[in-house]
Amino acid sequence: MRLLTWNLRFDSQRDDISVKETLESLPDPLIAPKFMGHKREQPWSARRIRVAQEIRGSRVSVIGFQEALLRQVHDLKELLGDEWDWVGVGRDDGKDRGEFGPIFFNTKHLKLEKYDTFWLSETPFKPSKFPSAGSFRIATVARLSLVDQSAQSGTEYRVFTLVNTHLDERSEGQRELGASLILHRARYEAQTHSGAVVVVGDFNRYAFTFRVEYHALTTIYAAKSEQIGADSGAYRILNGVTAPKPIPSQFQEKFPVAADVLPDFTMCDFLGVTPRLDVSGFFRTFTGFEESLGTRQGGRIDYVLGGSNGGWYHTGSTITDDGMLSSDHRPVFVDFDLVTPEVKEKQSISSV
C-alpha cells in the first residue's frame, strides 16, 4: 500500500481563479519555461496543479493532507478525479471552517469503513483548543479496507487505520497531549481491528536536536540555527521513549484499551525501519518557500509512523525548473505492508 503525507500550505493568497481557468492557462510543455522565473510563495490557484501532477503519477492509494482549507480540498478532489474520495472536517467548527486534515483515498483500491475526528485538547469531542496552543488541532481517523480481496482472507489482511494530524507550532504541551491521545487511539485500533495502524502528519518539531554550522556565514546565523533545533516530545511519546501524558477520561471511556493486550504498543518511525537501500530523496521535509532552506536551515518535521512493515520511503521535491514550489513542505511517500508482523507470526505458527 502506498501512502502520502503532505502539508499543502494553506491558501494564503486567495483569488477567484477556477481550476478550469488554471488548466486552460497552462503553458506548452514543449517550450522551456524561464528558469527560476518564480520567486517566493505563489497563489494556491497555481500551486494546486503541481500538487495534483505529483500525485496523479505516483501510484498512491491514500493521502493525509495538512493545512487544507475547504477550497483546497474541493480543488484536489476535482483535479484527482472521480476515483478519489475524501473525509474530514474543518478544525474550527467541526464542519467547514478552518484548516482540514483530510484523508483522501482511491476508491478503486480502498473502501471507507468508518471515520471520525477528535480535537487534540482536554475536550476532544468538540471543537476546542489547548490553552497555550496557537490554533485548534485535530486528528482525522479513517479505517479503510481493500476493495479487491480476492487474494486475501481475514480482516487482518484487508483493513488498516490511518491517523492524520498536524500538531501545534507554539505549544509543547499541546503536542505532547496530542501525541498521547493519538497513541492511545492507535493502540485501541490495533487491539480492536488487528490490522496495521499508521500515523502521519506535521509534528512542527524536529525528532532530535541538532546544531547547524556554516562557517562561511555569520556567527549570528550559526547561533540562530542552534536555537531552532528542539527535540519533539510528541515524537518521543509515540516512539515509546517518553511516557504519554494523562489523557481525558471521556477519551479513555470511548476508546477503551485492555491493559494486558499489546502492553508495549508504540509507533515506529518508518524512516528508521525501512531497508536503507529503499530510503531515497531528501531528509528535510520543511523548506519554506525558499528551496535553499531545504539544504540549510529547514528540518524534518513531517512523519510517517507505524510498525516494522515499511518497504519504501521517499521524500520528494516541490520545485520545478520555473522556480515554483508547490508547497513549503515536501511530500513524503511510504509503501507499507497491510500484513503486520504480528499476523505473519500467527501465520508461521499455524503452518507448523
Side-chain angles (χ1 to χ4, degrees), residues 60-115:
V60 163
S61 294
V62 61
I63 307 167
F65 289 121
Q66 299 87 44
E67 285 198 29
L69 299 178
L70 185 60
R71 178 201 187 188
Q72 294 173 284
V73 173
H74 288 166
D75 286 351
L76 287 172
K77 173 66 174 73
E78 180 176 350
L79 287 163
L80 294 179
D82 292 340
E83 67 189 53
W84 284 85
D85 202 354
W86 66 276
V87 294
V89 299
R91 67 188 186 186
D92 290 1
D93 64 353
K95 298 177 182 177
D96 56 12
R97 289 181 56 196
E99 295 175 10
F100 286 61
I103 294 175
F104 274 64
F105 56 98
N106 189 312
T107 58
K108 286 187 175 181
H109 305 153
L110 296 169
K111 174 186 175 183
L112 179 68
E113 298 291 334
K114 188 178 181 181
Y115 100 93

Side-chain angles (χ1 to χ4, degrees), residues 34-316:
K34 181 181 178 181
F35 185 68
M36 294 296 160
H38 293 292
K39 304 294 182 183
R40 302 184 180 87
E41 180 179 1
Q42 298 300 306
W44 168 251
S45 56
R47 295 191 292 113
R48 62 191 171 190
I49 303 300
R50 309 301 175 89
V51 171
Q53 288 170 331
E54 182 73 22
I55 296 168
R56 287 171 65 92
S58 66
R59 296 189 293 114
V60 163
S61 294
V62 61
I63 307 167
F65 289 121
Q66 299 87 44
E67 285 198 29
L69 299 178
L70 185 60
R71 178 201 187 188
Q72 294 173 284
V73 173
H74 288 166
D75 286 351
L76 287 172
K77 173 66 174 73
E78 180 176 350
L79 287 163
L80 294 179
D82 292 340
E83 67 189 53
W84 284 85
D85 202 354
W86 66 276
V87 294
V89 299
R91 67 188 186 186
D92 290 1
D93 64 353
K95 298 177 182 177
D96 56 12
R97 289 181 56 196
E99 295 175 10
F100 286 61
I103 294 175
F104 274 64
F105 56 98
N106 189 312
T107 58
K108 286 187 175 181
H109 305 153
L110 296 169
K111 174 186 175 183
L112 179 68
E113 298 291 334
K114 188 178 181 181
Y115 100 93
D116 64 89
T117 299
F118 59 90
W119 278 258
L120 305 179
S121 71
E122 295 291 351
T123 52
F125 301 125
K126 64 179 182 180
S128 52
K129 186 174 71 169
F130 189 81
S132 59
S135 303
F136 287 66
R137 297 294 175 178
I138 57 175
T140 306
V141 184
R143 190 159 67 248
L144 299 152
S145 63
L146 292 177
V147 170
D148 181 9
Q149 302 170 20
S150 59
Q152 307 285 1
S153 62
T155 58
E156 64 266 47
Y157 297 101
R158 63 182 180 84
V159 177
F160 72 97
T161 301
L162 181 65
V163 183
N164 179 32
T165 195
H166 185 186
L167 302 181
D168 199 64
E169 83 283 9
R170 295 183 185 178
S171 172
E172 179 68 359
Q174 188 285 324
R175 291 189 292 271
E176 291 184 346
L177 174 61
S180 301
L181 288 163
I182 289 168
L183 181 63
H184 182 93
R185 179 61 186 273
R187 184 181 173 193
Y188 167 83
E189 294 293 331
Q191 286 189 7
T192 306
H193 305 293
S194 301
V197 182
V198 179
V199 175
V200 303
D202 175 358
F203 288 7
N204 259 315
R205 279 298 179 274
Y206 306 147
F208 307 107
T209 298
F210 64 91
R211 187 170 190 269
V212 183
E213 293 187 55
Y214 295 100
H215 298 293
L217 302 179
T218 67
T219 55
I220 294 175
Y221 185 89
K224 181 180 179 183
S225 299
E226 184 177 20
Q227 294 170 7
I228 287 171
D231 282 353
S232 171
Y235 181 90
R236 294 198 304 269
I237 287 170
L238 287 164
N239 278 272
V241 176
T242 302
K245 301 298 181 182
I247 62 174
S249 58
Q250 66 265 37
F251 197 82
Q252 298 180 55
E253 292 166 2
K254 185 168 184 177
F255 303 112
V257 298
D260 58 344
V261 180
L262 303 177
D264 300 320
F265 180 87
T266 57
M267 308 297 293
C268 297
D269 188 337
F270 271 130
L271 180 59
V273 299
T274 299
R276 185 61 186 85
L277 183 61
D278 297 318
V279 175
S280 59
F282 296 88
F283 175 80
R284 294 164 174 83
T285 63
F286 173 70
T287 65
F289 280 100
E290 296 290 341
E291 179 66 9
S292 62
L293 288 179
T295 56
R296 292 186 180 181
Q297 188 178 329
R300 178 176 177 249
I301 62 175
D302 303 272
Y303 301 91
V304 181
L305 307 179
S308 55
N309 50 336
W312 178 72
Y313 192 108
H314 178 76
T315 301

